[in-house]
Amino acid sequence: MGHPLDAAALDTIFRTARTYNGYHETPFTRDDAEAVYELMKMGPTSANQSPARLVWCLDQAAKDRLADCASDSNADKIRKAPAALVIGMDEDFHEQLPWLFPHTDAKSWFEGDPEGRRTSALRNSSLQGAYFIIAARALGWDTGPMSGFDADKVDAAFFGDQPKVKVNFISTIGKGDASTIFDRSPRPEFDRFNRIA
Amino acid sequence: MGHPLDAAALDTIFRTARTYNGYHETPFTRDDAEAVYELMKMGPTSANQSPARLVWCLDQAAKDRLADCASDSNADKIRKAPAALVIGMDEDFHEQLPWLFPHTDAKSWFEGDPEGRRTSALRNSSLQGAYFIIAARALGWDTGPMSGFDADKVDAAFFGDQPKVKVNFISTIGKGDASTIFDRSPRPEFDRFNRIA
């Protein structure tokens, strides 16, 4: 049980944080990627599955390779961003469970169930994608998560040697340029999408 | 772009936060549920889809109803927790896009594509499930997310009147009792599941 965050911290991770379309020139390095990962990996996944497989595009050649897989408007954002991230998911994550969840035979829960593995990989790598967004914000970075890309192209370009890893979503990252954000889309009030049972 | 969080705040949302199996008696009320929702709803989803549909179980009857849908060990945790949450997902979320994402016709992207909607609902409601976990922690609560339940039973018990809403996962919530946590499962070092492209 932790101490509640102060108002500035709540702003940083949720209330005034935004999705950015462009960034200042501050670079994002491998050390920064490691710091974000060291935080995000602490977030929980079911049976510690940790199915996310991350590919960081830090130099221009890597960003261009990802941009070539994206829709036109997203390609431009990726080329110009300090860095980008491909969040993949390992549909054979269960092979790792003997060491990730060592106190029981969790691997056997998923053997012979490729459809259940796909669902679980999507669910839990999405949790990890959200932890990435929040961890980056918590360290003073901004992100621009995107779904507008050709998944087959991304898989071929970044996971060609790992046929059981598929892209979930992608994101830019850097120090956000406030002139590039759109107005925030409306957020539903409590009674719209919540019920008390 | 926000100010980086201090060490205590990083501990609260990621580093020392844990999944709890039991809680102290501090109640969790509707006001608390609304405060958690007001934070978590600010996290981004693709095209502001916001597909999560939340059912809060605050009294014993509601917790018992959810416990009856869960595996034995989870049922006991749910009955004894201050509160529990069902995180559902609306597979017809696209019907809401004209007001959630008003500047373009995003609804048309998903019409006639029920499989694409299911994937998008699972991805984006899982992001929202992660925002729930982090938002709760940020406000000083602890959570116990779970996948061990009968999804058909949960859907019948909580979404019987909304056939396009399906449960994604469930969680307990309260002030965690440190005597109920397990040792933390190992978290992979950077080089294991990360690459630089």
Short mmCIF file of all heavy atoms in Angstrom, two decimals, chain B residues 103-151:
data_model
loop_
_atom_site.label_atom_id
_atom_site.label_comp_id
_atom_site.label_asym_id
_atom_site.label_seq_id
_atom_site.Cartn_x
_atom_site.Cartn_y
_atom_site.Cartn_z
N HIS B 103 -14.70 14.20 -34.68
CA HIS B 103 -14.19 14.98 -35.83
C HIS B 103 -14.04 14.17 -37.11
O HIS B 103 -13.66 14.70 -38.14
CB HIS B 103 -12.87 15.66 -35.46
CG HIS B 103 -11.84 14.71 -34.94
ND1 HIS B 103 -11.88 14.18 -33.67
CD2 HIS B 103 -10.76 14.16 -35.54
CE1 HIS B 103 -10.85 13.38 -33.50
NE2 HIS B 103 -10.17 13.33 -34.61
N THR B 104 -14.34 12.85 -37.04
CA THR B 104 -14.29 12.06 -38.27
C THR B 104 -15.27 10.90 -38.13
O THR B 104 -15.78 10.64 -37.03
CB THR B 104 -12.86 11.53 -38.56
OG1 THR B 104 -12.83 10.95 -39.88
CG2 THR B 104 -12.44 10.49 -37.55
N ASP B 105 -15.57 10.19 -39.21
CA ASP B 105 -16.55 9.11 -39.16
C ASP B 105 -15.86 7.80 -38.79
O ASP B 105 -15.74 6.88 -39.62
CB ASP B 105 -17.28 8.99 -40.49
CG ASP B 105 -18.31 7.87 -40.48
OD1 ASP B 105 -18.68 7.42 -39.36
OD2 ASP B 105 -18.74 7.45 -41.56
N ALA B 106 -15.40 7.70 -37.55
CA ALA B 106 -14.67 6.50 -37.11
C ALA B 106 -15.58 5.29 -37.00
O ALA B 106 -15.12 4.15 -37.10
CB ALA B 106 -13.98 6.77 -35.77
N LYS B 107 -16.87 5.52 -36.79
CA LYS B 107 -17.81 4.39 -36.69
C LYS B 107 -17.74 3.52 -37.95
O LYS B 107 -17.78 2.29 -37.87
CB LYS B 107 -19.23 4.92 -36.48
CG LYS B 107 -20.27 3.83 -36.35
CD LYS B 107 -21.68 4.42 -36.20
CE LYS B 107 -22.73 3.32 -36.23
NZ LYS B 107 -24.10 3.88 -36.26
N SER B 108 -17.59 4.16 -39.09
CA SER B 108 -17.61 3.41 -40.36
C SER B 108 -16.40 2.48 -40.49
O SER B 108 -16.44 1.51 -41.23
CB SER B 108 -17.66 4.38 -41.54
OG SER B 108 -16.44 5.10 -41.65
N TRP B 109 -15.30 2.78 -39.77
CA TRP B 109 -14.12 1.92 -39.84
C TRP B 109 -14.41 0.52 -39.32
O TRP B 109 -13.68 -0.42 -39.64
CB TRP B 109 -12.95 2.49 -39.02
CG TRP B 109 -12.56 3.90 -39.32
CD1 TRP B 109 -12.87 4.63 -40.43
CD2 TRP B 109 -11.76 4.76 -38.49
NE1 TRP B 109 -12.34 5.88 -40.34
CE2 TRP B 109 -11.65 5.99 -39.16
CE3 TRP B 109 -11.14 4.62 -37.25
CZ2 TRP B 109 -10.93 7.08 -38.63
CZ3 TRP B 109 -10.44 5.69 -36.72
CH2 TRP B 109 -10.33 6.90 -37.40
N PHE B 110 -15.41 0.41 -38.45
CA PHE B 110 -15.65 -0.85 -37.74
C PHE B 110 -16.94 -1.54 -38.16
O PHE B 110 -17.20 -2.67 -37.75
CB PHE B 110 -15.68 -0.60 -36.23
CG PHE B 110 -14.35 -0.12 -35.69
CD1 PHE B 110 -14.11 1.22 -35.47
CD2 PHE B 110 -13.34 -1.03 -35.44
CE1 PHE B 110 -12.88 1.66 -34.99
CE2 PHE B 110 -12.11 -0.61 -34.96
CZ PHE B 110 -11.88 0.75 -34.74
N GLU B 111 -17.75 -0.87 -38.98
CA GLU B 111 -19.02 -1.49 -39.39
C GLU B 111 -18.74 -2.69 -40.28
O GLU B 111 -17.85 -2.66 -41.12
CB GLU B 111 -19.90 -0.46 -40.10
CG GLU B 111 -20.72 0.33 -39.08
CD GLU B 111 -21.37 1.56 -39.66
OE1 GLU B 111 -20.87 2.08 -40.69
OE2 GLU B 111 -22.36 2.02 -39.08
N GLY B 112 -19.48 -3.77 -40.06
CA GLY B 112 -19.29 -4.97 -40.86
C GLY B 112 -18.02 -5.74 -40.54
O GLY B 112 -17.61 -6.61 -41.31
N ASP B 113 -17.36 -5.40 -39.42
CA ASP B 113 -16.11 -6.08 -39.05
C ASP B 113 -16.16 -6.52 -37.59
O ASP B 113 -15.42 -6.02 -36.74
CB ASP B 113 -14.92 -5.14 -39.30
CG ASP B 113 -13.58 -5.82 -39.02
OD1 ASP B 113 -13.53 -7.08 -38.94
OD2 ASP B 113 -12.57 -5.09 -38.87
N PRO B 114 -17.05 -7.49 -37.27
CA PRO B 114 -17.18 -7.89 -35.86
C PRO B 114 -15.89 -8.47 -35.28
O PRO B 114 -15.60 -8.27 -34.10
CB PRO B 114 -18.31 -8.94 -35.89
CG PRO B 114 -18.44 -9.35 -37.31
CD PRO B 114 -18.00 -8.19 -38.14
N GLU B 115 -15.10 -9.17 -36.11
CA GLU B 115 -13.84 -9.74 -35.61
C GLU B 115 -12.86 -8.61 -35.26
O GLU B 115 -12.19 -8.64 -34.21
CB GLU B 115 -13.23 -10.68 -36.65
CG GLU B 115 -12.00 -11.42 -36.18
CD GLU B 115 -12.23 -12.22 -34.91
OE1 GLU B 115 -13.33 -12.79 -34.75
OE2 GLU B 115 -11.31 -12.25 -34.06
N GLY B 116 -12.75 -7.61 -36.12
CA GLY B 116 -11.89 -6.46 -35.83
C GLY B 116 -12.36 -5.71 -34.59
O GLY B 116 -11.54 -5.21 -33.81
N ARG B 117 -13.66 -5.65 -34.39
CA ARG B 117 -14.19 -4.98 -33.19
C ARG B 117 -13.83 -5.75 -31.94
O ARG B 117 -13.49 -5.16 -30.91
CB ARG B 117 -15.71 -4.79 -33.29
CG ARG B 117 -16.14 -3.81 -34.37
CD ARG B 117 -17.51 -3.23 -34.07
NE ARG B 117 -18.57 -4.22 -33.95
CZ ARG B 117 -19.28 -4.70 -34.98
NH1 ARG B 117 -19.04 -4.31 -36.20
NH2 ARG B 117 -20.25 -5.58 -34.77
N ARG B 118 -13.94 -7.09 -32.01
CA ARG B 118 -13.58 -7.89 -30.83
C ARG B 118 -12.12 -7.69 -30.45
O ARG B 118 -11.79 -7.51 -29.28
CB ARG B 118 -13.84 -9.39 -31.10
CG ARG B 118 -15.26 -9.81 -30.78
CD ARG B 118 -15.42 -11.34 -30.75
NE ARG B 118 -15.31 -11.91 -32.09
CZ ARG B 118 -16.34 -12.03 -32.94
NH1 ARG B 118 -17.54 -11.62 -32.59
NH2 ARG B 118 -16.17 -12.57 -34.13
N THR B 119 -11.23 -7.70 -31.45
CA THR B 119 -9.82 -7.49 -31.18
C THR B 119 -9.57 -6.11 -30.59
O THR B 119 -8.84 -5.95 -29.61
CB THR B 119 -9.00 -7.67 -32.49
OG1 THR B 119 -9.16 -9.01 -32.95
CG2 THR B 119 -7.53 -7.37 -32.27
N SER B 120 -10.20 -5.10 -31.19
CA SER B 120 -9.99 -3.72 -30.73
C SER B 120 -10.58 -3.52 -29.33
O SER B 120 -9.99 -2.81 -28.50
CB SER B 120 -10.61 -2.76 -31.74
OG SER B 120 -10.00 -1.50 -31.67
N ALA B 121 -11.73 -4.14 -29.07
CA ALA B 121 -12.34 -4.02 -27.74
C ALA B 121 -11.45 -4.68 -26.68
O ALA B 121 -11.27 -4.14 -25.58
CB ALA B 121 -13.73 -4.65 -27.73
N LEU B 122 -10.87 -5.84 -27.02
CA LEU B 122 -9.99 -6.52 -26.07
C LEU B 122 -8.73 -5.69 -25.82
O LEU B 122 -8.31 -5.49 -24.67
CB LEU B 122 -9.64 -7.92 -26.57
CG LEU B 122 -8.67 -8.73 -25.69
CD1 LEU B 122 -9.17 -8.88 -24.27
CD2 LEU B 122 -8.41 -10.10 -26.32
N ARG B 123 -8.10 -5.21 -26.91
CA ARG B 123 -6.88 -4.41 -26.76
C ARG B 123 -7.15 -3.17 -25.91
O ARG B 123 -6.46 -2.91 -24.92
CB ARG B 123 -6.37 -3.98 -28.13
CG ARG B 123 -5.18 -2.99 -28.06
CD ARG B 123 -4.73 -2.53 -29.45
NE ARG B 123 -4.23 -3.64 -30.22
CZ ARG B 123 -4.77 -4.09 -31.36
NH1 ARG B 123 -5.84 -3.50 -31.87
NH2 ARG B 123 -4.23 -5.11 -31.99
N ASN B 124 -8.17 -2.41 -26.26
CA ASN B 124 -8.36 -1.10 -25.63
C ASN B 124 -8.99 -1.19 -24.25
O ASN B 124 -8.67 -0.38 -23.38
CB ASN B 124 -9.13 -0.19 -26.59
CG ASN B 124 -8.25 0.28 -27.73
OD1 ASN B 124 -7.39 1.13 -27.55
ND2 ASN B 124 -8.43 -0.32 -28.92
N SER B 125 -9.83 -2.19 -24.01
CA SER B 125 -10.35 -2.35 -22.63
C SER B 125 -9.26 -2.91 -21.72
O SER B 125 -9.29 -2.66 -20.50
CB SER B 125 -11.59 -3.23 -22.60
OG SER B 125 -11.29 -4.58 -22.93
N SER B 126 -8.28 -3.62 -22.28
CA SER B 126 -7.14 -4.05 -21.47
C SER B 126 -6.27 -2.86 -21.09
O SER B 126 -5.80 -2.75 -19.95
CB SER B 126 -6.32 -5.10 -22.21
OG SER B 126 -7.07 -6.28 -22.43
N LEU B 127 -6.04 -1.94 -22.05
CA LEU B 127 -5.35 -0.68 -21.69
C LEU B 127 -6.10 -0.03 -20.53
O LEU B 127 -5.48 0.39 -19.54
CB LEU B 127 -5.33 0.29 -22.87
CG LEU B 127 -4.52 -0.06 -24.12
CD1 LEU B 127 -4.70 1.03 -25.19
CD2 LEU B 127 -3.03 -0.22 -23.80
N GLN B 128 -7.42 0.05 -20.63
CA GLN B 128 -8.20 0.70 -19.57
C GLN B 128 -8.13 -0.08 -18.26
O GLN B 128 -8.15 0.53 -17.18
CB GLN B 128 -9.65 0.88 -20.02
CG GLN B 128 -9.79 1.91 -21.15
CD GLN B 128 -11.24 2.07 -21.55
OE1 GLN B 128 -11.79 1.29 -22.32
NE2 GLN B 128 -11.89 3.08 -21.01
N GLY B 129 -8.01 -1.41 -18.35
CA GLY B 129 -7.83 -2.21 -17.14
C GLY B 129 -6.51 -1.89 -16.45
O GLY B 129 -6.44 -1.81 -15.22
N ALA B 130 -5.47 -1.68 -17.25
CA ALA B 130 -4.18 -1.27 -16.68
C ALA B 130 -4.29 0.13 -16.08
O ALA B 130 -3.73 0.40 -15.00
CB ALA B 130 -3.08 -1.32 -17.73
N TYR B 131 -5.00 1.03 -16.76
CA TYR B 131 -5.18 2.37 -16.18
C TYR B 131 -5.92 2.28 -14.85
O TYR B 131 -5.63 3.04 -13.92
CB TYR B 131 -5.94 3.30 -17.14
CG TYR B 131 -5.31 3.49 -18.50
CD1 TYR B 131 -6.08 3.64 -19.64
CD2 TYR B 131 -3.92 3.53 -18.65
CE1 TYR B 131 -5.51 3.82 -20.90
CE2 TYR B 131 -3.34 3.71 -19.91
CZ TYR B 131 -4.15 3.84 -21.03
OH TYR B 131 -3.59 4.02 -22.27
N PHE B 132 -6.90 1.36 -14.75
CA PHE B 132 -7.59 1.16 -13.47
C PHE B 132 -6.60 0.77 -12.38
O PHE B 132 -6.61 1.34 -11.28
CB PHE B 132 -8.67 0.07 -13.61
CG PHE B 132 -9.01 -0.60 -12.31
CD1 PHE B 132 -9.72 0.07 -11.33
CD2 PHE B 132 -8.57 -1.90 -12.04
CE1 PHE B 132 -9.99 -0.53 -10.10
CE2 PHE B 132 -8.84 -2.51 -10.83
CZ PHE B 132 -9.55 -1.83 -9.85
N ILE B 133 -5.73 -0.20 -12.66
CA ILE B 133 -4.78 -0.67 -11.65
C ILE B 133 -3.88 0.48 -11.19
O ILE B 133 -3.67 0.69 -9.99
CB ILE B 133 -3.93 -1.84 -12.22
CG1 ILE B 133 -4.82 -3.08 -12.46
CG2 ILE B 133 -2.76 -2.18 -11.28
CD1 ILE B 133 -4.14 -4.18 -13.28
N ILE B 134 -3.35 1.24 -12.16
CA ILE B 134 -2.43 2.34 -11.82
C ILE B 134 -3.18 3.49 -11.14
O ILE B 134 -2.66 4.08 -10.18
CB ILE B 134 -1.70 2.83 -13.08
CG1 ILE B 134 -0.94 1.68 -13.76
CG2 ILE B 134 -0.77 3.99 -12.73
CD1 ILE B 134 0.21 1.11 -12.99
N ALA B 135 -4.38 3.81 -11.62
CA ALA B 135 -5.14 4.91 -11.02
C ALA B 135 -5.48 4.58 -9.57
O ALA B 135 -5.39 5.43 -8.67
CB ALA B 135 -6.41 5.18 -11.83
N ALA B 136 -5.90 3.33 -9.32
CA ALA B 136 -6.21 2.92 -7.95
C ALA B 136 -4.99 3.07 -7.06
O ALA B 136 -5.06 3.64 -5.96
CB ALA B 136 -6.72 1.47 -7.94
N ARG B 137 -3.84 2.58 -7.54
CA ARG B 137 -2.61 2.72 -6.76
C ARG B 137 -2.27 4.18 -6.51
O ARG B 137 -1.84 4.55 -5.41
CB ARG B 137 -1.46 2.04 -7.50
CG ARG B 137 -1.56 0.52 -7.56
CD ARG B 137 -0.48 -0.05 -8.46
NE ARG B 137 -0.43 -1.52 -8.41
CZ ARG B 137 0.45 -2.25 -9.09
NH1 ARG B 137 1.33 -1.67 -9.89
NH2 ARG B 137 0.44 -3.57 -8.99
N ALA B 138 -2.44 5.01 -7.52
CA ALA B 138 -2.09 6.42 -7.41
C ALA B 138 -2.92 7.12 -6.35
O ALA B 138 -2.49 8.13 -5.78
CB ALA B 138 -2.25 7.12 -8.76
N LEU B 139 -4.12 6.58 -6.07
CA LEU B 139 -5.00 7.16 -5.05
C LEU B 139 -4.87 6.45 -3.72
O LEU B 139 -5.64 6.70 -2.80
CB LEU B 139 -6.45 7.15 -5.55
CG LEU B 139 -6.71 8.04 -6.77
CD1 LEU B 139 -8.16 7.92 -7.24
CD2 LEU B 139 -6.37 9.50 -6.48
N GLY B 140 -3.88 5.55 -3.61
CA GLY B 140 -3.61 4.91 -2.32
C GLY B 140 -4.31 3.59 -2.11
O GLY B 140 -4.30 3.05 -1.00
N TRP B 141 -4.94 3.04 -3.16
CA TRP B 141 -5.60 1.73 -3.06
C TRP B 141 -4.69 0.64 -3.60
O TRP B 141 -3.69 0.92 -4.26
CB TRP B 141 -6.91 1.75 -3.86
CG TRP B 141 -7.89 2.75 -3.35
CD1 TRP B 141 -8.14 3.98 -3.88
CD2 TRP B 141 -8.71 2.64 -2.19
NE1 TRP B 141 -9.08 4.64 -3.13
CE2 TRP B 141 -9.45 3.84 -2.08
CE3 TRP B 141 -8.90 1.64 -1.23
CZ2 TRP B 141 -10.37 4.07 -1.05
CZ3 TRP B 141 -9.81 1.86 -0.21
CH2 TRP B 141 -10.53 3.07 -0.11
N ASP B 142 -5.08 -0.59 -3.33
CA ASP B 142 -4.39 -1.75 -3.89
C ASP B 142 -5.41 -2.61 -4.63
O ASP B 142 -6.61 -2.56 -4.33
CB ASP B 142 -3.74 -2.57 -2.76
CG ASP B 142 -2.70 -1.75 -2.03
OD1 ASP B 142 -1.69 -1.42 -2.64
OD2 ASP B 142 -2.94 -1.44 -0.84
N THR B 143 -4.91 -3.40 -5.57
CA THR B 143 -5.80 -4.21 -6.39
C THR B 143 -5.33 -5.67 -6.42
O THR B 143 -4.18 -5.98 -6.12
CB THR B 143 -5.86 -3.69 -7.84
OG1 THR B 143 -4.56 -3.81 -8.43
CG2 THR B 143 -6.32 -2.24 -7.89
N GLY B 144 -6.24 -6.53 -6.82
CA GLY B 144 -5.94 -7.94 -7.01
C GLY B 144 -6.60 -8.42 -8.30
O GLY B 144 -7.65 -9.08 -8.26
N PRO B 145 -6.01 -8.07 -9.47
CA PRO B 145 -6.61 -8.48 -10.76
C PRO B 145 -6.55 -10.00 -10.94
O PRO B 145 -5.59 -10.64 -10.49
CB PRO B 145 -5.75 -7.75 -11.80
CG PRO B 145 -4.49 -7.35 -11.10
CD PRO B 145 -4.79 -7.27 -9.64
N MET B 146 -7.55 -10.56 -11.59
CA MET B 146 -7.70 -12.02 -11.73
C MET B 146 -8.26 -12.40 -13.09
O MET B 146 -9.13 -11.71 -13.62
CB MET B 146 -8.73 -12.55 -10.71
CG MET B 146 -8.49 -12.19 -9.30
SD MET B 146 -9.94 -12.68 -8.30
CE MET B 146 -9.39 -12.05 -6.71
N SER B 147 -7.77 -13.55 -13.58
CA SER B 147 -8.35 -14.15 -14.78
C SER B 147 -9.05 -15.46 -14.50
O SER B 147 -9.63 -16.05 -15.42
CB SER B 147 -7.25 -14.38 -15.84
OG SER B 147 -6.85 -13.16 -16.43
N GLY B 148 -9.02 -15.94 -13.26
CA GLY B 148 -9.58 -17.25 -12.94
C GLY B 148 -11.06 -17.18 -12.60
O GLY B 148 -11.44 -17.12 -11.43
N PHE B 149 -11.90 -17.19 -13.65
CA PHE B 149 -13.35 -17.15 -13.45
C PHE B 149 -14.02 -17.74 -14.68
O PHE B 149 -13.39 -17.92 -15.72
CB PHE B 149 -13.84 -15.70 -13.21
CG PHE B 149 -13.41 -14.75 -14.29
CD1 PHE B 149 -14.16 -14.62 -15.45
CD2 PHE B 149 -12.25 -13.99 -14.16
CE1 PHE B 149 -13.76 -13.75 -16.46
CE2 PHE B 149 -11.85 -13.12 -15.16
CZ PHE B 149 -12.61 -13.00 -16.32
N ASP B 150 -15.34 -18.02 -14.57
CA ASP B 150 -16.12 -18.55 -15.68
C ASP B 150 -16.73 -17.35 -16.41
O ASP B 150 -17.68 -16.72 -15.92
CB ASP B 150 -17.20 -19.49 -15.13
CG ASP B 150 -18.03 -20.13 -16.21
OD1 ASP B 150 -18.37 -19.45 -17.21
OD2 ASP B 150 -18.36 -21.32 -16.06
N ALA B 151 -16.19 -17.05 -17.59
CA ALA B 151 -16.60 -15.83 -18.30
C ALA B 151 -18.09 -15.85 -18.66
O ALA B 151 -18.77 -14.83 -18.56
CB ALA B 151 -15.74 -15.65 -19.56
#
